[in-house]
Amino acid sequence: MRRTLLFSIIIIAIIFSIYGHSAAQGIPKISIELDESDQAEDLSVALQILILLTVLSLAPAIIILLTSFIRIIIVFSFLRQAVGTHQMPPNQLLIGLALILTAFIMAPAIEQINKNAVQPYLAGEINQTQAYEAGINPLRDFMLRQTREKDLALFVSMANIPQPESPKDLPTHLIIPGFVISEMRIAFQIGFLLYIPFLVIDMVVASVLMSMGMLMLPPIMVSLPFKILLFVLVDGWYLIVKSVVMGFH
C-alpha cells in the first residue's frame, strides 16, 4: 500500500513537472518534499489531486455502505424478480431511483455534515481531524438508528474489545458491518412479502392451465399480464416507495 501511494505521488509529480516546464529545455527537475503542516493550504497541488482521486474512488462504497441505498436497491431487485420482468425497469433506472431516494432520505444528515464539517473546514475554522469527527457523527447516528443491537454485539464479540457503555462508544468500523447486515435482513423481509401476492397469481394460473390441459403453454407468460395489472391497480410504486422511505423515520 505504501509503495503504491509513493508511486502515485511520483507519477503525479512527474506530470505536473512536465506541464510546468513545457517551455523549458532539457530534463525537468523533480522534487518531492515531505514536511509537517498545520494548515490545509500548505498541501501541494499533487497531493490535493491524489487525495481527491482517492475520495472519488471510495465514493461508491461510501454511498452503498453508509446510507439507505442498500435496502432500497435490494427491495427494487426483489420486486422486479417477483413481477417477472427481468429487464424492466432497466438497471440504470432502478439505480437512479434508488440514488434519488437515498439523497432524499439522507438530506438531514447531509445538511448537518455540510454545516458542521464542510463549511467550517473550508473556512479554516477547524482542522482535518475535527472535520472528520463532525462529518462522521451524522452518519453514525443514522446507522445506529437502523442497526439491531444483536448485529452490533456480533462484531463487538468478534473484535474482542471491551463492552462499550453505549452504542455511541462503538468504533465506526464496527458500526458499518452491523448496519449492512441489518439493512440486508430488512430488505429480504420486504422482498419475501413482495413475493407472496405474485406467487399466488402464478399458482392460480398454473392450476388453471393444467386443468385445461394446456401443458405446453408456459404459466409465466400467461401470469405476467395479470401480475402487471395487479401491480398497477394497487398503485404499487407509490406503496413501495412510501413504505421504504417511511421505514427510515
Side-chain angles (χ1 to χ4, degrees):
M1 181 64 180
R2 294 181 179 179
R3 292 181 179 178
T4 304
L5 180 60
L6 180 60
F7 180 76
S8 302
I9 295 175
I10 293 175
I11 293 298
I12 295 175
I14 291 174
I15 295 174
F16 272 89
S17 182
I18 292 175
Y19 276 104
H21 297 80
S22 58
Q25 297 179 353
I27 301 176
K29 180 181 178 181
I30 302 174
S31 176
I32 300 177
E33 181 180 357
L34 299 177
D35 197 1
E36 295 183 356
S37 176
D38 296 332
Q39 298 181 359
E41 294 80 0
D42 295 335
L43 285 176
S44 64
V45 177
L47 289 179
Q48 291 181 12
I49 294 178
L50 178 62
I51 294 173
L52 178 61
L53 293 177
T54 304
V55 172
L56 291 178
S57 64
L58 296 177
I62 294 174
I63 295 175
I64 292 174
L65 297 179
L66 305 184
T67 64
S68 58
F69 183 82
I70 304 174
R71 185 189 307 183
I72 298 173
I73 195 62
I74 293 178
V75 170
F76 286 169
S77 300
F78 272 122
L79 173 64
R80 187 170 61 179
Q81 293 292 331
V83 176
T85 55
H86 300 291
Q87 300 297 330
M88 291 298 295
N91 292 331
Q92 294 84 350
L93 179 58
L94 289 183
I95 294 175
L97 179 58
L99 288 174
I100 292 298
L101 294 178
T102 300
F104 176 78
I105 295 171
M106 301 299 299
I110 295 175
E111 292 178 0
Q112 293 182 16
I113 294 174
N114 181 63
K115 178 180 178 181
N116 301 329
V118 176
Q119 296 302 326
Y121 176 73
L122 295 178
E125 300 175 357
I126 57 178
N127 55 31
Q128 296 179 4
T129 303
Q130 294 172 337
Y132 169 77
E133 294 177 353
I136 198 64
N137 285 333
L139 294 177
R140 284 173 53 92
D141 294 340
F142 172 79
M143 290 187 290
L144 287 174
R145 289 197 303 267
Q146 309 300 328
T147 307
R148 294 188 306 173
E149 183 178 352
K150 178 180 179 180
D151 297 327
L152 294 175
L154 171 64
F155 291 97
V156 170
S157 62
M158 291 192 297
N160 294 323
I161 63 175
Q163 188 71 22
E165 297 181 359
S166 64
K168 294 185 177 181
D169 298 330
L170 288 170
T172 304
H173 69 275
L174 296 183
I175 299 178
I176 295 176
F179 169 75
V180 171
I181 63 175
S182 294
E183 288 295 286
M184 294 179 64
R185 178 187 65 87
I186 297 175
F188 274 67
Q189 290 177 348
I190 298 175
F192 171 76
L193 297 177
L194 288 175
Y195 260 93
I196 294 178
F198 300 111
L199 180 60
V200 172
I201 295 178
D202 287 333
M203 295 176 62
V204 171
V205 171
S207 300
V208 172
L209 293 178
M210 290 182 63
S211 64
M212 297 175 62
M214 304 175 65
L215 301 179
M216 301 301 295
L217 183 61
I220 297 179
M221 182 180 299
V222 179
S223 63
L224 180 58
F226 293 98
K227 291 191 289 186
I228 296 177
L229 179 62
L230 172 65
F231 189 74
V232 172
L233 291 178
V234 299
D235 202 357
W237 285 112
Y238 171 84
L239 295 177
I240 290 175
V241 170
K242 178 181 178 181
S243 300
V244 171
V245 173
M246 294 301 295
F248 288 97
H249 296 285

